[in-house]
Amino acid sequence: MKEKLSAADRVRKARDPKRPVTGEYVEALIRGFQPLAGDRLFGDDPSVLGGIGWFHDTPVTVIGHQKGRSLEENVKYRFGMPDPEGYRKAVRLMKQAEKFGRPVITFVDTPGAYPGMDAEERGQGEAIARSILTMSRLRVPSVAVFIGEGGSGGALALGAADRVIMLENSIYSILSPEGFASILWKDAGRWEEAAEVMKLTAGDLEELGICDLVIPEDGDRGQLFDRVDRGIRRELRPLIGMSGEALVKERYRRFRRFGGKRQKG
């Protein structure tokens, strides 16, 4: 029998530095991947990996938060917290995908957007809002895969998709449990209690209709990548034949339904 984990346990697992990162999913699932860099405004942000490739027989655009394996890599990627340039690069690639009729697959794994002064000076809030707006109006199919942390607007910027897939130990929330506890109770040490209250686990979000598919994480990496592959195919297939107008309308209806308990059976 599978051990029942608390929300705090799920948070710890979501933050485990040994979890596969976006680049590894891309290498396993996307054939002929060609990375594309730059936001055409200021520079490139390596903490957002983006490019084009083939998902089975379908050309796709892939965008995801990138974390590192070593301290040096994590400093380079700011532990998966993008600058405005990362989100503006994402917007550029989404619009390119729409122009050429390519579905968009995103991989979400971030504590949140980078909160530094330089990021704020260059319009962090506007960049995130623009990414959410662009993704919500895309006239091509989109699938978001939550592979670890999904924190705040930094996650929503790549998560406003037609379908959301979550690994069973991934999380998705308005902010970190520590931040929630600090605001609500003035005590970050109560983060475990906050995690329970926030309903941030894949199971919670599936019940609320925000997550469409939860993927088990038992087994080795090969089995995990295979499950994610099958999950993306399952969620993407019915979207491929829909018109751009139908996609936008259904996406709007989907977000309006959030928060209602999903009917089982």
Side-chain angles (χ1 to χ4, degrees), residues 158-249:
L158 298 186
D162 295 307
R163 298 287 187 272
V164 168
I165 297 169
M166 295 185 70
L167 273 59
E168 67 175 339
N169 294 316
S170 65
I171 57 174
Y172 189 11
S173 61
I174 55 168
L175 77 169
S176 70
E178 292 87 351
F180 185 98
S182 294
I183 293 169
L184 194 63
W185 302 310
K186 313 300 183 193
D187 181 3
R190 294 175 66 180
W191 73 268
E192 294 187 18
E193 184 181 350
E196 295 291 342
V197 171
M198 292 171 74
K199 303 297 182 186
L200 45 60
T201 70
D204 290 329
L205 296 169
E206 185 180 34
E207 270 194 38
L208 293 170
I210 295 169
C211 170
D212 299 286
L213 176 66
V214 178
I215 294 181
E217 294 188 43
D218 53 321
D220 60 28
R221 284 192 176 202
Q223 292 172 307
L224 176 61
F225 292 150
D226 183 61
R227 291 190 192 113
V228 172
D229 180 281
R230 283 187 277 116
I232 295 173
R233 274 189 287 168
R234 173 188 132 165
E235 299 302 326
L236 190 58
R237 191 179 296 117
L239 303 173
I240 294 291
M242 294 176 66
S243 68
E245 183 180 0
L247 284 166
V248 173
K249 285 183 177 178

Coordinates of all heavy atoms in Angstrom, one line a residue, residues 158-249:
L158 N 3.5 30.5 -17.2 CA 3.7 29.4 -18.2 C 2.6 28.3 -17.9 O 2.7 27.2 -18.5 CB 5.1 28.8 -18.0 CG 6.2 29.7 -18.4 CD1 7.5 28.9 -18.4 CD2 6.1 30.4 -19.7
G159 N 1.6 28.6 -17.0 CA 0.7 27.6 -16.7 C -0.8 27.9 -17.1 O -1.7 27.1 -16.9
A160 N -1.0 29.0 -17.8 CA -2.4 29.3 -18.3 C -2.7 28.6 -19.6 O -3.0 29.2 -20.6 CB -2.5 30.8 -18.5
A161 N -2.7 27.3 -19.5 CA -2.8 26.4 -20.6 C -4.2 25.8 -20.8 O -5.0 25.8 -19.9 CB -1.8 25.3 -20.5
D162 N -4.4 25.1 -21.9 CA -5.7 24.4 -22.2 C -5.8 23.2 -21.2 O -6.9 22.8 -20.8 CB -5.7 23.9 -23.6 CG -5.8 25.0 -24.6 OD1 -6.7 25.9 -24.5 OD2 -5.0 25.1 -25.5
R163 N -4.7 22.5 -21.0 CA -4.7 21.4 -20.1 C -3.5 21.5 -19.2 O -2.4 21.9 -19.6 CB -4.5 20.1 -20.9 CG -5.7 19.8 -21.9 CD -7.0 19.4 -21.1 NE -8.0 19.0 -22.0 CZ -8.9 19.8 -22.6 NH1 -8.8 21.1 -22.3 NH2 -9.8 19.4 -23.4
V164 N -3.7 21.0 -17.9 CA -2.6 21.0 -16.9 C -2.4 19.6 -16.4 O -3.3 18.9 -16.0 CB -3.0 21.9 -15.7 CG1 -2.0 21.7 -14.6 CG2 -2.9 23.4 -16.2
I165 N -1.1 19.2 -16.5 CA -0.7 17.9 -16.0 C 0.3 18.2 -14.8 O 1.1 19.0 -14.9 CB 0.1 17.1 -17.1 CG1 -0.8 16.8 -18.3 CG2 0.7 15.8 -16.5 CD1 0.0 16.3 -19.5
M166 N 0.1 17.4 -13.7 CA 1.0 17.6 -12.6 C 1.5 16.2 -12.2 O 0.8 15.2 -12.1 CB 0.2 18.2 -11.4 CG -0.3 19.6 -11.6 SD -1.1 20.3 -10.2 CE 0.4 20.6 -9.1
L167 N 2.8 16.2 -11.9 CA 3.4 15.0 -11.3 C 2.9 15.0 -9.8 O 2.6 16.0 -9.2 CB 4.9 15.1 -11.2 CG 5.7 14.6 -12.5 CD1 5.2 15.3 -13.8 CD2 7.2 14.7 -12.3
E168 N 2.7 13.8 -9.3 CA 2.0 13.6 -8.0 C 2.7 14.4 -6.9 O 2.1 14.7 -5.9 CB 1.9 12.2 -7.6 CG 3.2 11.4 -7.4 CD 2.9 10.0 -6.9 OE1 1.8 9.7 -6.4 OE2 3.8 9.1 -7.0
N169 N 4.0 14.6 -7.0 CA 4.7 15.4 -5.9 C 5.1 16.8 -6.4 O 6.0 17.4 -5.8 CB 6.0 14.6 -5.5 CG 5.7 13.3 -4.9 OD1 4.8 13.2 -4.0 ND2 6.4 12.3 -5.2
S170 N 4.4 17.3 -7.4 CA 4.6 18.7 -7.7 C 3.5 19.5 -7.0 O 2.6 19.0 -6.4 CB 4.4 18.9 -9.2 OG 3.1 18.6 -9.6
I171 N 3.8 20.9 -6.9 CA 2.8 21.8 -6.2 C 2.6 23.0 -7.1 O 3.3 23.3 -8.0 CB 3.4 22.2 -4.8 CG1 4.8 22.9 -5.0 CG2 3.5 21.0 -3.9 CD1 5.4 23.5 -3.8
Y172 N 1.4 23.6 -6.8 CA 1.0 24.8 -7.5 C 0.3 25.7 -6.6 O -0.7 25.3 -6.0 CB 0.1 24.4 -8.7 CG -0.2 25.4 -9.7 CD1 0.4 26.7 -9.8 CD2 -1.3 25.2 -10.6 CE1 0.0 27.6 -10.8 CE2 -1.6 26.1 -11.6 CZ -1.0 27.3 -11.7 OH -1.3 28.2 -12.6
S173 N 0.8 27.0 -6.3 CA 0.2 27.8 -5.3 C 0.5 29.3 -5.6 O 1.3 29.6 -6.4 CB 0.8 27.4 -3.9 OG 2.2 27.7 -3.9
I174 N -0.3 30.1 -4.9 CA -0.2 31.6 -5.1 C 1.2 32.1 -4.6 O 1.6 33.2 -5.0 CB -1.3 32.3 -4.4 CG1 -1.4 31.9 -2.9 CG2 -2.6 32.0 -5.0 CD1 -2.3 32.8 -2.1
L175 N 1.8 31.4 -3.6 CA 3.1 31.8 -3.1 C 3.6 30.6 -2.3 O 3.0 29.6 -2.2 CB 3.1 33.1 -2.3 CG 2.6 33.1 -0.8 CD1 2.9 34.4 -0.2 CD2 1.1 32.8 -0.8
S176 N 4.8 30.7 -1.8 CA 5.4 29.6 -1.0 C 4.7 29.5 0.3 O 4.1 30.4 0.8 CB 6.9 29.9 -0.7 OG 7.0 31.0 0.2
P177 N 4.7 28.3 0.9 CA 4.1 28.1 2.2 C 4.7 29.0 3.2 O 4.0 29.5 4.2 CB 4.3 26.6 2.5 CG 4.5 26.0 1.1 CD 5.2 27.0 0.3
E178 N 6.0 29.2 3.1 CA 6.7 30.1 4.1 C 6.2 31.5 4.0 O 5.9 32.2 5.0 CB 8.2 30.1 3.9 CG 8.9 28.7 4.2 CD 8.9 27.8 3.0 OE1 8.2 28.0 2.0 OE2 9.5 26.7 3.1
G179 N 6.0 32.0 2.7 CA 5.5 33.3 2.5 C 4.0 33.4 3.0 O 3.7 34.4 3.7
F180 N 3.2 32.4 2.8 CA 1.9 32.4 3.3 C 1.8 32.5 4.8 O 1.0 33.3 5.3 CB 1.2 31.1 2.8 CG -0.3 30.9 3.1 CD1 -1.2 31.3 2.1 CD2 -0.7 30.5 4.3 CE1 -2.6 31.1 2.4 CE2 -2.1 30.4 4.6 CZ -3.0 30.7 3.6
A181 N 2.6 31.6 5.4 CA 2.6 31.6 6.9 C 3.1 33.0 7.5 O 2.6 33.5 8.5 CB 3.5 30.5 7.4
S182 N 4.1 33.6 6.8 CA 4.6 34.9 7.2 C 3.6 36.0 7.2 O 3.4 36.8 8.1 CB 5.8 35.3 6.4 OG 6.9 34.4 6.6
I183 N 2.8 35.9 6.1 CA 1.7 36.9 5.9 C 0.5 36.7 6.9 O 0.1 37.6 7.5 CB 1.2 37.0 4.5 CG1 2.4 37.5 3.5 CG2 0.0 37.8 4.3 CD1 2.1 37.3 2.1
L184 N 0.1 35.4 6.9 CA -1.1 35.1 7.7 C -0.9 35.1 9.2 O -1.7 35.6 10.0 CB -1.7 33.8 7.2 CG -3.1 33.5 7.6 CD1 -4.1 34.5 7.1 CD2 -3.5 32.1 7.2
W185 N 0.2 34.5 9.6 CA 0.5 34.3 11.0 C 1.7 35.0 11.5 O 2.1 34.8 12.7 CB 0.6 32.8 11.3 CG -0.6 32.0 10.9 CD1 -1.9 32.3 11.2 CD2 -0.7 30.8 10.1 NE1 -2.8 31.4 10.7 CE2 -2.1 30.4 10.0 CE3 0.3 30.0 9.5 CZ2 -2.5 29.3 9.3 CZ3 -0.2 28.9 8.8 CH2 -1.5 28.6 8.7
K186 N 2.4 35.7 10.7 CA 3.7 36.4 11.0 C 4.7 35.4 11.5 O 5.6 35.7 12.4 CB 3.4 37.5 12.1 CG 2.3 38.4 11.8 CD 2.4 39.2 10.6 CE 1.3 40.1 10.3 NZ 1.3 40.7 9.0
D187 N 4.7 34.2 11.0 CA 5.6 33.1 11.5 C 5.9 32.1 10.4 O 5.1 31.2 10.1 CB 5.0 32.4 12.7 CG 5.9 31.3 13.3 OD1 7.0 31.2 12.8 OD2 5.5 30.6 14.2
A188 N 7.0 32.3 9.7 CA 7.3 31.4 8.6 C 7.6 30.0 9.0 O 7.5 29.1 8.2 CB 8.6 31.9 7.9
G189 N 7.8 29.8 10.3 CA 8.0 28.5 10.8 C 6.8 27.6 10.8 O 6.9 26.4 10.9
R190 N 5.6 28.2 10.6 CA 4.4 27.4 10.5 C 4.1 27.0 9.1 O 2.9 26.8 8.7 CB 3.3 28.2 11.1 CG 3.4 28.5 12.6 CD 2.3 29.4 13.1 NE 1.0 28.8 13.0 CZ -0.1 29.4 13.5 NH1 -0.1 30.7 14.0 NH2 -1.3 28.8 13.3
W191 N 5.1 26.9 8.2 CA 4.9 26.6 6.8 C 4.2 25.3 6.5 O 3.5 25.1 5.6 CB 6.2 26.7 6.0 CG 7.2 25.6 6.2 CD1 8.2 25.5 7.2 CD2 7.2 24.4 5.5 NE1 8.9 24.4 7.1 CE2 8.3 23.6 6.1 CE3 6.5 23.8 4.5 CZ2 8.6 22.3 5.6 CZ3 6.8 22.6 4.0 CH2 7.9 21.9 4.6
E192 N 4.5 24.3 7.4 CA 3.9 23.0 7.2 C 2.4 23.1 7.4 O 1.6 22.5 6.6 CB 4.5 22.0 8.2 CG 6.0 21.7 7.9 CD 6.5 20.5 8.7 OE1 5.7 19.7 9.3 OE2 7.7 20.4 8.8
E193 N 2.0 23.8 8.4 CA 0.5 24.1 8.6 C -0.1 24.8 7.4 O -1.2 24.5 6.9 CB 0.4 24.9 9.9 CG -1.1 25.1 10.3 CD -1.2 25.9 11.6 OE1 -0.1 26.2 12.2 OE2 -2.3 26.4 11.9
A194 N 0.7 25.8 6.9 CA 0.2 26.6 5.8 C 0.0 25.7 4.5 O -0.9 25.9 3.8 CB 1.2 27.7 5.5
A195 N 1.0 24.8 4.3 CA 0.9 23.9 3.2 C -0.4 23.1 3.1 O -1.0 22.9 2.1 CB 2.1 22.9 3.1
E196 N -0.9 22.7 4.3 CA -2.2 22.0 4.4 C -3.3 22.9 4.0 O -4.3 22.5 3.3 CB -2.4 21.4 5.8 CG -1.4 20.3 6.2 CD -1.5 19.0 5.5 OE1 -2.6 18.8 4.8 OE2 -0.5 18.3 5.5
V197 N -3.3 24.1 4.5 CA -4.4 25.0 4.3 C -4.5 25.5 2.8 O -5.6 25.7 2.3 CB -4.2 26.3 5.2 CG1 -5.2 27.4 4.8 CG2 -4.3 25.9 6.7
M198 N -3.3 25.6 2.1 CA -3.3 26.2 0.8 C -3.8 25.3 -0.3 O -4.1 25.8 -1.4 CB -1.8 26.5 0.5 CG -1.3 27.7 1.4 SD 0.5 27.9 1.1 CE 0.5 28.7 -0.5
K199 N -4.0 24.0 -0.1 CA -4.5 23.1 -1.1 C -3.6 23.2 -2.4 O -4.1 23.5 -3.5 CB -6.0 23.5 -1.5 CG -6.9 23.4 -0.3 CD -7.0 22.0 0.2 CE -8.0 21.9 1.4 NZ -8.1 20.6 2.1
L200 N -2.3 23.0 -2.2 CA -1.4 23.1 -3.3 C -0.9 21.8 -3.9 O -0.1 21.9 -4.9 CB -0.2 24.0 -2.8 CG 0.5 23.6 -1.4 CD1 1.0 22.2 -1.4 CD2 1.5 24.6 -1.1
T201 N -1.4 20.7 -3.4 CA -0.9 19.4 -4.0 C -1.7 19.1 -5.3 O -2.7 19.6 -5.6 CB -1.1 18.3 -3.0 OG1 -2.5 18.0 -2.8 CG2 -0.5 18.6 -1.7
A202 N -1.1 18.2 -6.0 CA -1.7 17.7 -7.3 C -3.1 17.2 -7.0 O -4.0 17.4 -7.8 CB -0.8 16.7 -8.0
G203 N -3.2 16.4 -6.0 CA -4.5 15.8 -5.6 C -5.6 16.8 -5.3 O -6.7 16.8 -5.8
D204 N -5.2 17.8 -4.5 CA -6.1 18.9 -4.2 C -6.6 19.7 -5.5 O -7.7 20.0 -5.6 CB -5.4 19.9 -3.3 CG -5.2 19.4 -1.9 OD1 -6.0 18.5 -1.4 OD2 -4.2 19.8 -1.2
L205 N -5.6 20.0 -6.3 CA -5.9 20.8 -7.5 C -6.7 20.0 -8.6 O -7.4 20.5 -9.3 CB -4.6 21.3 -8.1 CG -3.9 22.3 -7.2 CD1 -2.5 22.6 -7.6 CD2 -4.7 23.5 -7.0
E206 N -6.5 18.6 -8.5 CA -7.3 17.8 -9.4 C -8.8 17.9 -9.0 O -9.7 18.0 -9.8 CB -6.8 16.4 -9.4 CG -7.6 15.5 -10.4 CD -7.1 14.0 -10.4 OE1 -6.7 13.6 -9.3 OE2 -7.1 13.4 -11.4
E207 N -9.0 17.8 -7.7 CA -10.4 17.9 -7.1 C -11.0 19.3 -7.5 O -12.2 19.3 -7.7 CB -10.3 17.8 -5.6 CG -10.5 16.3 -5.1 CD -10.8 16.3 -3.6 OE1 -11.6 17.2 -3.1 OE2 -10.3 15.4 -2.9
L208 N -10.2 20.3 -7.5 CA -10.7 21.7 -7.8 C -10.9 22.0 -9.3 O -11.3 23.1 -9.7 CB -9.9 22.7 -7.1 CG -9.9 22.7 -5.6 CD1 -8.8 23.6 -5.0 CD2 -11.2 23.1 -5.1
G209 N -10.5 21.0 -10.1 CA -10.7 21.2 -11.5 C -9.5 22.0 -12.2 O -9.6 22.3 -13.4
I210 N -8.5 22.2 -11.5 CA -7.3 23.0 -12.0 C -6.4 22.1 -12.7 O -5.8 22.5 -13.7 CB -6.6 23.8 -10.9 CG1 -7.6 24.8 -10.3 CG2 -5.4 24.5 -11.4 CD1 -7.2 25.5 -9.0
C211 N -6.2 20.9 -12.2 CA -5.3 19.9 -12.8 C -6.1 18.8 -13.5 O -7.1 18.3 -13.0 CB -4.5 19.3 -11.7 SG -3.5 17.8 -12.2
D212 N -5.8 18.5 -14.7 CA -6.5 17.5 -15.5 C -6.0 16.1 -15.4 O -6.7 15.1 -15.6 CB -6.4 17.9 -17.0 CG -7.0 19.3 -17.3 OD1 -8.3 19.4 -17.2 OD2 -6.3 20.2 -17.5
L213 N -4.7 16.0 -15.0 CA -4.1 14.6 -15.0 C -3.0 14.6 -13.9 O -2.1 15.5 -14.0 CB -3.6 14.2 -16.3 CG -2.8 12.9 -16.4 CD1 -3.8 11.7 -16.1 CD2 -2.2 12.7 -17.8
V214 N -3.0 13.7 -13.0 CA -1.9 13.5 -12.1 C -1.1 12.3 -12.4 O -1.7 11.2 -12.7 CB -2.4 13.3 -10.6 CG1 -1.3 13.1 -9.6 CG2 -3.3 14.6 -10.2
I215 N 0.2 12.4 -12.5 CA 1.1 11.3 -13.0 C 1.9 10.8 -11.8 O 2.6 11.5 -11.1 CB 2.1 11.9 -14.1 CG1 1.3 12.2 -15.3 CG2 3.1 10.8 -14.4 CD1 2.1 12.7 -16.5
P216 N 1.8 9.5 -11.5 CA 2.5 8.8 -10.5 C 4.0 8.9 -10.7 O 4.5 9.0 -11.8 CB 2.1 7.4 -10.5 CG 0.8 7.4 -11.3 CD 0.9 8.5 -12.3
E217 N 4.8 9.0 -9.6 CA 6.2 9.1 -9.7 C 7.0 7.9 -9.2 O 8.2 8.0 -9.1 CB 6.7 10.4 -8.9 CG 6.2 11.7 -9.5 CD 6.8 12.9 -8.8 OE1 8.0 12.9 -8.5 OE2 6.0 13.8 -8.4
D218 N 6.3 6.8 -9.0 CA 7.1 5.6 -8.6 C 7.8 5.1 -9.8 O 7.4 5.3 -10.9 CB 6.1 4.6 -8.0 CG 5.0 4.3 -8.9 OD1 4.4 5.2 -9.5 OD2 4.6 3.1 -9.0
G219 N 8.9 4.3 -9.5 CA 9.6 3.7 -10.6 C 10.8 4.6 -10.9 O 11.1 5.6 -10.2
D220 N 11.6 4.2 -12.0 CA 12.8 5.0 -12.4 C 12.4 6.1 -13.3 O 11.3 6.4 -13.7 CB 13.8 4.0 -13.0 CG 13.3 3.3 -14.3 OD1 12.4 3.9 -15.0 OD2 13.8 2.2 -14.6
R221 N 13.5 6.9 -13.7 CA 13.3 8.0 -14.6 C 12.7 7.7 -15.9 O 11.9 8.4 -16.5 CB 14.6 8.8 -14.8 CG 15.0 9.6 -13.6 CD 16.2 10.5 -13.9 NE 16.5 11.3 -12.8 CZ 17.1 12.5 -12.9 NH1 17.5 12.9 -14.1 NH2 17.4 13.2 -11.8
G222 N 13.1 6.6 -16.5 CA 12.6 6.1 -17.8 C 11.1 5.9 -17.7 O 10.4 6.3 -18.6
Q223 N 10.6 5.3 -16.6 CA 9.2 5.1 -16.5 C 8.5 6.4 -16.3 O 7.4 6.6 -16.9 CB 8.9 4.2 -15.3 CG 9.4 2.8 -15.5 CD 9.3 1.9 -14.2 OE1 9.8 2.3 -13.2 NE2 8.6 0.8 -14.3
L224 N 9.1 7.3 -15.6 CA 8.5 8.7 -15.4 C 8.3 9.4 -16.7 O 7.3 10.0 -17.0 CB 9.3 9.5 -14.4 CG 8.8 10.9 -14.1 CD1 7.4 10.9 -13.6 CD2 9.8 11.6 -13.2
F225 N 9.4 9.4 -17.5 CA 9.4 10.1 -18.8 C 8.4 9.5 -19.7 O 7.7 10.2 -20.4 CB 10.8 10.1 -19.4 CG 11.8 10.9 -18.7 CD1 13.2 10.5 -18.8 CD2 11.5 12.0 -18.0 CE1 14.2 11.3 -18.1 CE2 12.5 12.8 -17.3 CZ 13.8 12.4 -17.4
D226 N 8.2 8.2 -19.6 CA 7.2 7.5 -20.5 C 5.8 7.9 -20.1 O 5.0 8.1 -20.9 CB 7.4 6.0 -20.4 CG 6.5 5.2 -21.3 OD1 6.5 5.4 -22.5 OD2 5.7 4.4 -20.8
R227 N 5.6 8.0 -18.8 CA 4.3 8.4 -18.3 C 3.9 9.9 -18.7 O 2.8 10.2 -19.1 CB 4.2 8.3 -16.8 CG 4.2 6.9 -16.3 CD 3.8 6.8 -14.8 NE 4.1 5.5 -14.2 CZ 5.0 5.3 -13.3 NH1 5.8 6.2 -12.9 NH2 5.2 4.0 -12.9
V228 N 4.9 10.7 -18.6 CA 4.7 12.1 -19.0 C 4.5 12.2 -20.5 O 3.6 12.9 -20.9 CB 5.9 13.0 -18.6 CG1 5.8 14.4 -19.2 CG2 6.1 13.1 -17.1
D229 N 5.2 11.4 -21.3 CA 5.0 11.4 -22.7 C 3.6 11.0 -23.0 O 2.9 11.6 -23.8 CB 6.0 10.4 -23.3 CG 5.8 10.2 -24.8 OD1 4.9 9.6 -25.3 OD2 6.7 10.8 -25.5
R230 N 3.1 9.9 -22.4 CA 1.7 9.4 -22.7 C 0.7 10.4 -22.2 O -0.4 10.6 -22.8 CB 1.5 8.1 -22.0 CG 2.2 6.9 -22.8 CD 1.8 5.5 -22.2 NE 2.7 5.2 -21.1 CZ 2.3 5.0 -19.8 NH1 1.0 5.1 -19.5 NH2 3.2 4.6 -18.9
G231 N 1.0 11.1 -21.1 CA 0.1 12.1 -20.5 C -0.1 13.3 -21.5 O -1.2 13.8 -21.7
I232 N 1.0 13.8 -22.0 CA 1.0 14.9 -22.9 C 0.2 14.5 -24.2 O -0.6 15.2 -24.7 CB 2.4 15.4 -23.3 CG1 3.1 16.0 -22.1 CG2 2.3 16.4 -24.4 CD1 4.6 16.3 -22.3
R233 N 0.5 13.3 -24.7 CA -0.3 12.8 -25.9 C -1.8 12.8 -25.6 O -2.6 13.2 -26.5 CB 0.3 11.5 -26.3 CG 1.5 11.5 -27.2 CD 1.8 10.2 -27.8 NE 2.4 9.3 -26.8 CZ 2.5 8.0 -27.0 NH1 2.1 7.4 -28.1 NH2 3.1 7.2 -26.0
R234 N -2.1 12.2 -24.5 CA -3.5 12.1 -24.1 C -4.2 13.5 -24.0 O -5.3 13.6 -24.5 CB -3.6 11.4 -22.7 CG -5.1 11.4 -22.2 CD -5.1 10.8 -20.8 NE -6.0 11.7 -20.0 CZ -6.4 11.4 -18.8 NH1 -6.1 10.2 -18.2 NH2 -7.2 12.2 -18.1
E235 N -3.6 14.5 -23.4 CA -4.2 15.8 -23.3 C -4.1 16.6 -24.5 O -5.0 17.4 -24.8 CB -3.5 16.5 -22.1 CG -3.7 15.8 -20.8 CD -5.1 15.6 -20.3 OE1 -6.0 16.4 -20.7 OE2 -5.4 14.5 -19.7
L236 N -3.1 16.4 -25.3 CA -2.9 17.2 -26.6 C -3.8 16.7 -27.7 O -4.3 17.6 -28.5 CB -1.5 17.2 -27.0 CG -1.0 18.1 -28.1 CD1 -1.3 19.6 -27.7 CD2 0.5 17.9 -28.3
R237 N -4.0 15.4 -27.8 CA -4.7 14.8 -28.9 C -6.1 15.5 -29.2 O -6.3 15.9 -30.4 CB -4.9 13.3 -28.7 CG -5.4 12.6 -30.0 CD -5.5 11.1 -29.7 NE -4.2 10.5 -29.4 CZ -3.9 9.9 -28.3 NH1 -4.8 9.9 -27.3 NH2 -2.7 9.4 -28.1
P238 N -7.0 15.7 -28.3 CA -8.3 16.2 -28.6 C -8.2 17.7 -28.9 O -9.2 18.3 -29.4 CB -9.1 16.0 -27.3 CG -8.1 15.8 -26.2 CD -6.9 15.2 -26.9
L239 N -7.1 18.4 -28.6 CA -7.0 19.8 -28.9 C -6.6 20.1 -30.3 O -6.8 21.2 -30.8 CB -6.0 20.5 -27.9 CG -6.3 20.3 -26.4 CD1 -5.2 20.8 -25.6 CD2 -7.6 21.0 -26.0
I240 N -5.9 19.2 -30.9 CA -5.2 19.4 -32.2 C -6.2 19.9 -33.3 O -5.9 20.8 -34.1 CB -4.4 18.2 -32.7 CG1 -3.3 17.9 -31.7 CG2 -3.9 18.3 -34.1 CD1 -2.1 18.9 -31.8
G241 N -7.4 19.3 -33.3 CA -8.3 19.6 -34.4 C -9.2 20.8 -34.2 O -10.0 21.2 -35.0
M242 N -9.1 21.4 -33.0 CA -9.9 22.5 -32.6 C -9.5 23.8 -33.3 O -8.3 24.1 -33.5 CB -10.0 22.7 -31.1 CG -10.6 21.6 -30.4 SD -10.6 21.8 -28.6 CE -11.6 23.2 -28.3
S243 N -10.4 24.7 -33.7 CA -10.1 26.0 -34.3 C -9.5 26.9 -33.2 O -9.7 26.7 -32.0 CB -11.3 26.6 -34.9 OG -12.3 27.0 -33.9
G244 N -8.8 28.0 -33.7 CA -8.3 28.9 -32.7 C -9.4 29.6 -31.9 O -9.2 29.7 -30.7
E245 N -10.5 29.9 -32.5 CA -11.6 30.5 -31.8 C -12.1 29.6 -30.7 O -12.4 30.0 -29.6 CB -12.7 30.9 -32.7 CG -13.8 31.7 -32.1 CD -14.9 32.1 -33.1 OE1 -14.7 31.8 -34.3 OE2 -15.9 32.7 -32.7
A246 N -12.3 28.3 -31.1 CA -12.8 27.3 -30.1 C -11.9 27.1 -28.9 O -12.3 27.0 -27.8 CB -13.1 26.0 -30.8
L247 N -10.6 27.1 -29.2 CA -9.6 27.0 -28.1 C -9.7 28.1 -27.1 O -9.7 27.9 -25.9 CB -8.2 26.9 -28.7 CG -7.8 25.6 -29.4 CD1 -6.5 25.8 -30.3 CD2 -7.6 24.5 -28.4
V248 N -9.8 29.3 -27.7 CA -9.8 30.5 -26.8 C -11.1 30.5 -25.9 O -11.0 30.7 -24.7 CB -9.7 31.8 -27.6 CG1 -9.9 33.0 -26.7 CG2 -8.3 31.9 -28.3
K249 N -12.2 30.2 -26.5 CA -13.5 30.1 -25.8 C -13.5 29.0 -24.7 O -13.9 29.3 -23.6 CB -14.6 29.9 -26.8 CG -15.0 31.1 -27.6 CD -16.2 30.9 -28.5 CE -16.6 32.1 -29.2 NZ -17.7 31.9 -30.2

